[in-house]
Amino acid sequence: LYRSFLKSNVARKLLEDQNCKMTRSVLSTIKKLQGLVNHPSLVRSREQKLEAGFDDDETRAMFEEIDRMDRGLRGAKPVREELSGKLALVHQILSAI
């Protein structure tokens, strides 16, 4: 997901701009990456719409697979810590204690 985002038009536009200043679009891009670091599901809206920069075919297919696995579940969906590097690390640490 990180590579896909960095290859996206949203990120490329900012990365290639030599005169880039701290604008709303830069801060918005940083916020999107922060959400991705926290958990990949945070790059989707409640309506399951992917944010700009995360709307490529590979990412769409990944979320379709996750949705397929979660289909039919009642109540809260599983966290799926394996999708988040941050949560996977916390899970490993807590499992070792």
Side-chain angles (χ1 to χ4, degrees):
L1 284 177
Y2 294 100
R3 285 189 189 104
S4 293
F5 180 71
L6 292 175
K7 290 178 188 175
S8 73
N9 289 336
V10 171
R12 296 284 353 134
K13 184 175 154 186
L14 292 174
L15 292 171
E16 293 171 358
D17 185 1
Q18 297 296 320
N19 299 318
C20 190
K21 296 181 174 89
M22 275 300 195
T23 62
R24 284 187 186 177
S25 61
V26 172
L27 295 174
S28 173
T29 302
I30 292 169
K31 187 74 174 158
K32 288 177 185 182
L33 285 171
Q34 181 184 19
L36 179 59
V37 167
N38 287 331
H39 197 281
S41 293
L42 296 176
V43 300
R44 288 200 300 186
S45 67
R46 286 187 179 198
E47 298 81 31
Q48 306 302 325
K49 182 179 178 212
L50 291 167
E51 291 190 24
F54 297 103
D55 50 0
D56 61 285
D57 291 337
E58 183 181 353
T59 305
R60 211 174 266 113
M62 184 202 79
F63 279 110
E64 285 172 6
E65 176 64 18
I66 292 168
D67 292 341
R68 186 191 62 71
M69 291 187 300
D70 290 349
R71 206 167 281 130
L73 294 177
R74 292 180 166 216
K77 292 183 179 180
V79 173
R80 301 208 183 281
E81 71 277 348
E82 69 274 9
L83 298 177
S84 168
K86 190 183 219 179
L87 290 178
L89 177 63
V90 169
H91 181 73
Q92 278 184 326
I93 291 169
L94 291 174
S95 296
I97 295 177

